[in-house]
PDB file of all heavy atoms in Angstrom:
ATOM      1  N   PHE A 145     -52.800 -89.756  45.194  1.00 99.00           N
ATOM      2  CA  PHE A 145     -52.426 -91.145  44.885  1.00 99.00           C
ATOM      3  C   PHE A 145     -51.192 -91.333  44.204  1.00 99.00           C
ATOM      4  O   PHE A 145     -50.666 -92.458  44.072  1.00 99.00           O
ATOM      5  CB  PHE A 145     -53.599 -91.799  44.061  1.00 99.00           C
ATOM      6  CG  PHE A 145     -54.815 -92.162  44.885  1.00 99.00           C
ATOM      7  CD1 PHE A 145     -56.051 -91.466  44.742  1.00 99.00           C
ATOM      8  CD2 PHE A 145     -54.721 -93.127  45.906  1.00 99.00           C
ATOM      9  CE1 PHE A 145     -57.140 -91.825  45.508  1.00 99.00           C
ATOM     10  CE2 PHE A 145     -55.866 -93.466  46.703  1.00 99.00           C
ATOM     11  CZ  PHE A 145     -57.049 -92.827  46.532  1.00 99.00           C
ATOM     12  N   THR A 146     -50.548 -90.235  43.641  1.00 99.00           N
ATOM     13  CA  THR A 146     -49.321 -90.386  42.993  1.00 99.00           C
ATOM     14  C   THR A 146     -48.199 -89.847  43.819  1.00 99.00           C
ATOM     15  O   THR A 146     -47.045 -89.659  43.380  1.00 99.00           O
ATOM     16  CB  THR A 146     -49.292 -89.642  41.659  1.00 99.00           C
ATOM     17  OG1 THR A 146     -49.549 -88.167  41.830  1.00 99.00           O
ATOM     18  CG2 THR A 146     -50.363 -90.151  40.673  1.00 99.00           C
ATOM     19  N   SER A 147     -48.528 -89.569  45.104  1.00 98.00           N
ATOM     20  CA  SER A 147     -47.461 -89.055  45.996  1.00 98.00           C
ATOM     21  C   SER A 147     -46.907 -90.105  46.913  1.00 98.00           C
ATOM     22  O   SER A 147     -47.533 -91.226  46.959  1.00 98.00           O
ATOM     23  CB  SER A 147     -48.036 -87.904  46.872  1.00 98.00           C
ATOM     24  OG  SER A 147     -48.876 -88.446  47.893  1.00 98.00           O
ATOM     25  N   ASP A 148     -45.868 -89.784  47.693  1.00 98.00           N
ATOM     26  CA  ASP A 148     -45.305 -90.803  48.639  1.00 98.00           C
ATOM     27  C   ASP A 148     -46.342 -91.076  49.793  1.00 98.00           C
ATOM     28  O   ASP A 148     -46.156 -92.066  50.493  1.00 98.00           O
ATOM     29  CB  ASP A 148     -44.091 -90.252  49.208  1.00 98.00           C
ATOM     30  CG  ASP A 148     -42.932 -90.353  48.198  1.00 98.00           C
ATOM     31  OD1 ASP A 148     -42.478 -91.413  47.949  1.00 98.00           O
ATOM     32  OD2 ASP A 148     -42.531 -89.290  47.686  1.00 98.00           O
ATOM     33  N   LEU A 149     -47.382 -90.242  49.911  1.00 98.00           N
ATOM     34  CA  LEU A 149     -48.345 -90.559  50.932  1.00 98.00           C
ATOM     35  C   LEU A 149     -49.069 -91.833  50.602  1.00 98.00           C
ATOM     36  O   LEU A 149     -49.548 -92.544  51.489  1.00 98.00           O
ATOM     37  CB  LEU A 149     -49.408 -89.435  50.986  1.00 98.00           C
ATOM     38  CG  LEU A 149     -48.856 -88.114  51.519  1.00 98.00           C
ATOM     39  CD1 LEU A 149     -49.813 -86.961  51.144  1.00 98.00           C
ATOM     40  CD2 LEU A 149     -48.564 -88.118  53.005  1.00 98.00           C
ATOM     41  N   SER A 150     -49.180 -92.118  49.302  1.00 98.00           N
ATOM     42  CA  SER A 150     -49.967 -93.301  48.856  1.00 98.00           C
ATOM     43  C   SER A 150     -49.081 -94.393  48.265  1.00 98.00           C
ATOM     44  O   SER A 150     -49.265 -95.641  48.519  1.00 98.00           O
ATOM     45  CB  SER A 150     -51.063 -92.846  47.876  1.00 98.00           C
ATOM     46  OG  SER A 150     -51.608 -93.946  47.241  1.00 98.00           O
ATOM     47  N   LEU A 151     -48.206 -94.042  47.350  1.00 98.00           N
ATOM     48  CA  LEU A 151     -47.379 -94.989  46.635  1.00 98.00           C
ATOM     49  C   LEU A 151     -46.357 -95.610  47.494  1.00 98.00           C
ATOM     50  O   LEU A 151     -45.810 -94.934  48.439  1.00 98.00           O
ATOM     51  CB  LEU A 151     -46.715 -94.388  45.428  1.00 98.00           C
ATOM     52  CG  LEU A 151     -47.560 -93.956  44.226  1.00 98.00           C
ATOM     53  CD1 LEU A 151     -46.679 -93.341  43.154  1.00 98.00           C
ATOM     54  CD2 LEU A 151     -48.325 -95.207  43.669  1.00 98.00           C
ATOM     55  N   ASP A 152     -45.950 -96.863  47.314  1.00 97.00           N
ATOM     56  CA  ASP A 152     -44.724 -97.402  47.939  1.00 97.00           C
ATOM     57  C   ASP A 152     -43.512 -96.676  47.388  1.00 97.00           C
ATOM     58  O   ASP A 152     -43.511 -96.187  46.229  1.00 97.00           O
ATOM     59  CB  ASP A 152     -44.620 -98.968  47.582  1.00 97.00           C
ATOM     60  CG  ASP A 152     -45.641 -99.778  48.247  1.00 97.00           C
ATOM     61  OD1 ASP A 152     -46.193 -99.298  49.265  1.00 97.00           O
ATOM     62  OD2 ASP A 152     -45.895-100.825  47.730  1.00 97.00           O
ATOM     63  N   SER A 153     -42.495 -96.660  48.292  1.00 98.00           N
ATOM     64  CA  SER A 153     -41.338 -95.879  47.877  1.00 98.00           C
ATOM     65  C   SER A 153     -40.713 -96.303  46.547  1.00 98.00           C
ATOM     66  O   SER A 153     -40.360 -95.441  45.726  1.00 98.00           O
ATOM     67  CB  SER A 153     -40.288 -96.118  49.064  1.00 98.00           C
ATOM     68  OG  SER A 153     -39.123 -95.500  48.680  1.00 98.00           O
ATOM     69  N   ASP A 154     -40.669 -97.601  46.242  1.00 98.00           N
ATOM     70  CA  ASP A 154     -40.099 -97.972  44.966  1.00 98.00           C
ATOM     71  C   ASP A 154     -40.970 -97.661  43.800  1.00 98.00           C
ATOM     72  O   ASP A 154     -40.469 -97.178  42.756  1.00 98.00           O
ATOM     73  CB  ASP A 154     -39.659 -99.504  44.968  1.00 98.00           C
ATOM     74  CG  ASP A 154     -40.883-100.431  45.138  1.00 98.00           C
ATOM     75  OD1 ASP A 154     -41.893 -99.958  45.727  1.00 98.00           O
ATOM     76  OD2 ASP A 154     -40.767-101.550  44.713  1.00 98.00           O
ATOM     77  N   ALA A 155     -42.272 -97.765  43.893  1.00 98.00           N
ATOM     78  CA  ALA A 155     -43.232 -97.449  42.818  1.00 98.00           C
ATOM     79  C   ALA A 155     -43.152 -95.933  42.575  1.00 98.00           C
ATOM     80  O   ALA A 155     -43.172 -95.535  41.417  1.00 98.00           O
ATOM     81  CB  ALA A 155     -44.620 -97.801  43.249  1.00 98.00           C
ATOM     82  N   LYS A 156     -42.978 -95.173  43.631  1.00 98.00           N
ATOM     83  CA  LYS A 156     -42.894 -93.698  43.386  1.00 98.00           C
ATOM     84  C   LYS A 156     -41.604 -93.393  42.593  1.00 98.00           C
ATOM     85  O   LYS A 156     -41.690 -92.514  41.711  1.00 98.00           O
ATOM     86  CB  LYS A 156     -42.810 -93.069  44.824  1.00 98.00           C
ATOM     87  CG  LYS A 156     -42.428 -91.570  44.837  1.00 98.00           C
ATOM     88  CD  LYS A 156     -43.483 -90.666  44.209  1.00 98.00           C
ATOM     89  CE  LYS A 156     -43.073 -89.294  44.103  1.00 98.00           C
ATOM     90  NZ  LYS A 156     -42.183 -88.779  45.140  1.00 98.00           N
ATOM     91  N   LYS A 157     -40.527 -94.080  42.890  1.00 98.00           N
ATOM     92  CA  LYS A 157     -39.259 -93.722  42.178  1.00 98.00           C
ATOM     93  C   LYS A 157     -39.398 -94.185  40.724  1.00 98.00           C
ATOM     94  O   LYS A 157     -38.957 -93.487  39.799  1.00 98.00           O
ATOM     95  CB  LYS A 157     -38.063 -94.446  42.774  1.00 98.00           C
ATOM     96  CG  LYS A 157     -37.268 -93.678  43.801  1.00 98.00           C
ATOM     97  CD  LYS A 157     -37.937 -93.599  45.095  1.00 98.00           C
ATOM     98  CE  LYS A 157     -37.280 -92.956  46.229  1.00 98.00           C
ATOM     99  NZ  LYS A 157     -38.085 -92.886  47.452  1.00 98.00           N
ATOM    100  N   ARG A 158     -40.079 -95.339  40.471  1.00 98.00           N
ATOM    101  CA  ARG A 158     -40.334 -95.728  39.058  1.00 98.00           C
ATOM    102  C   ARG A 158     -41.222 -94.682  38.328  1.00 98.00           C
ATOM    103  O   ARG A 158     -40.992 -94.421  37.157  1.00 98.00           O
ATOM    104  CB  ARG A 158     -40.931 -97.127  39.029  1.00 98.00           C
ATOM    105  CG  ARG A 158     -39.820 -98.190  39.132  1.00 98.00           C
ATOM    106  CD  ARG A 158     -40.416 -99.621  38.914  1.00 98.00           C
ATOM    107  NE  ARG A 158     -40.786-100.166  40.218  1.00 98.00           N
ATOM    108  CZ  ARG A 158     -42.029-100.453  40.609  1.00 98.00           C
ATOM    109  NH1 ARG A 158     -43.003-100.253  39.804  1.00 98.00           N
ATOM    110  NH2 ARG A 158     -42.334-100.961  41.810  1.00 98.00           N
ATOM    111  N   GLN A 159     -42.159 -94.167  39.084  1.00 98.00           N
ATOM    112  CA  GLN A 159     -43.053 -93.151  38.434  1.00 98.00           C
ATOM    113  C   GLN A 159     -42.260 -91.867  38.066  1.00 98.00           C
ATOM    114  O   GLN A 159     -42.410 -91.301  37.000  1.00 98.00           O
ATOM    115  CB  GLN A 159     -44.127 -92.717  39.491  1.00 98.00           C
ATOM    116  CG  GLN A 159     -45.065 -91.668  38.950  1.00 98.00           C
ATOM    117  CD  GLN A 159     -46.048 -91.223  39.998  1.00 98.00           C
ATOM    118  OE1 GLN A 159     -47.191 -91.435  39.983  1.00 98.00           O
ATOM    119  NE2 GLN A 159     -45.558 -90.519  41.059  1.00 98.00           N
ATOM    120  N   VAL A 160     -41.203 -91.528  38.895  1.00 98.00           N
ATOM    121  CA  VAL A 160     -40.425 -90.399  38.570  1.00 98.00           C
ATOM    122  C   VAL A 160     -39.662 -90.608  37.260  1.00 98.00           C
ATOM    123  O   VAL A 160     -39.559 -89.750  36.393  1.00 98.00           O
ATOM    124  CB  VAL A 160     -39.398 -90.098  39.728  1.00 98.00           C
ATOM    125  CG1 VAL A 160     -38.369 -89.070  39.236  1.00 98.00           C
ATOM    126  CG2 VAL A 160     -40.130 -89.639  40.978  1.00 98.00           C
ATOM    127  N   VAL A 161     -39.178 -91.834  37.160  1.00 98.00           N
ATOM    128  CA  VAL A 161     -38.429 -92.212  35.904  1.00 98.00           C
ATOM    129  C   VAL A 161     -39.351 -92.186  34.653  1.00 98.00           C
ATOM    130  O   VAL A 161     -39.094 -91.534  33.692  1.00 98.00           O
ATOM    131  CB  VAL A 161     -37.764 -93.606  36.046  1.00 98.00           C
ATOM    132  CG1 VAL A 161     -37.111 -94.062  34.723  1.00 98.00           C
ATOM    133  CG2 VAL A 161     -36.727 -93.566  37.143  1.00 98.00           C
ATOM    134  N   GLU A 162     -40.496 -92.824  34.804  1.00 98.00           N
ATOM    135  CA  GLU A 162     -41.449 -92.909  33.649  1.00 98.00           C
ATOM    136  C   GLU A 162     -41.867 -91.591  33.198  1.00 98.00           C
ATOM    137  O   GLU A 162     -42.002 -91.296  31.994  1.00 98.00           O
ATOM    138  CB  GLU A 162     -42.706 -93.731  34.032  1.00 98.00           C
ATOM    139  CG  GLU A 162     -43.589 -93.895  32.846  1.00 98.00           C
ATOM    140  CD  GLU A 162     -44.880 -94.667  33.161  1.00 98.00           C
ATOM    141  OE1 GLU A 162     -45.190 -94.922  34.323  1.00 98.00           O
ATOM    142  OE2 GLU A 162     -45.582 -94.939  32.199  1.00 98.00           O
ATOM    143  N   PHE A 163     -42.009 -90.675  34.126  1.00 98.00           N
ATOM    144  CA  PHE A 163     -42.602 -89.345  33.780  1.00 98.00           C
ATOM    145  C   PHE A 163     -41.460 -88.282  33.722  1.00 98.00           C
ATOM    146  O   PHE A 163     -41.743 -87.078  33.932  1.00 98.00           O
ATOM    147  CB  PHE A 163     -43.689 -88.880  34.667  1.00 98.00           C
ATOM    148  CG  PHE A 163     -45.023 -89.703  34.353  1.00 98.00           C
ATOM    149  CD1 PHE A 163     -45.339 -90.778  34.990  1.00 98.00           C
ATOM    150  CD2 PHE A 163     -45.763 -89.311  33.251  1.00 98.00           C
ATOM    151  CE1 PHE A 163     -46.531 -91.523  34.742  1.00 98.00           C
ATOM    152  CE2 PHE A 163     -46.972 -89.950  32.991  1.00 98.00           C
ATOM    153  CZ  PHE A 163     -47.308 -91.065  33.664  1.00 98.00           C
ATOM    154  N   THR A 164     -40.200 -88.687  33.544  1.00 98.00           N
ATOM    155  CA  THR A 164     -39.191 -87.709  33.346  1.00 98.00           C
ATOM    156  C   THR A 164     -39.447 -87.039  31.981  1.00 98.00           C
ATOM    157  O   THR A 164     -39.445 -87.651  31.005  1.00 98.00           O
ATOM    158  CB  THR A 164     -37.797 -88.387  33.432  1.00 98.00           C
ATOM    159  OG1 THR A 164     -37.624 -88.805  34.758  1.00 98.00           O
ATOM    160  CG2 THR A 164     -36.678 -87.410  33.109  1.00 98.00           C
ATOM    161  N   ASN A 165     -39.622 -85.725  32.030  1.00 98.00           N
ATOM    162  CA  ASN A 165     -40.096 -85.031  30.835  1.00 98.00           C
ATOM    163  C   ASN A 165     -39.237 -83.746  30.632  1.00 98.00           C
ATOM    164  O   ASN A 165     -39.704 -82.624  30.699  1.00 98.00           O
ATOM    165  CB  ASN A 165     -41.592 -84.607  31.147  1.00 98.00           C
ATOM    166  CG  ASN A 165     -42.345 -84.194  29.981  1.00 98.00           C
ATOM    167  OD1 ASN A 165     -41.793 -84.018  28.808  1.00 98.00           O
ATOM    168  ND2 ASN A 165     -43.635 -83.866  30.139  1.00 98.00           N
TER     169      ASN A 165
END
Side-chain angles (χ1 to χ4, degrees):
F145 284 114
T146 62
S147 75
D148 286 288
L149 295 165
S150 167
L151 289 178
D152 289 339
S153 176
D154 62 336
K156 167 70 186 325
K157 268 78 177 175
R158 277 186 267 112
Q159 178 186 250
V160 171
V161 173
E162 181 180 13
F163 286 97
T164 294
N165 194 356

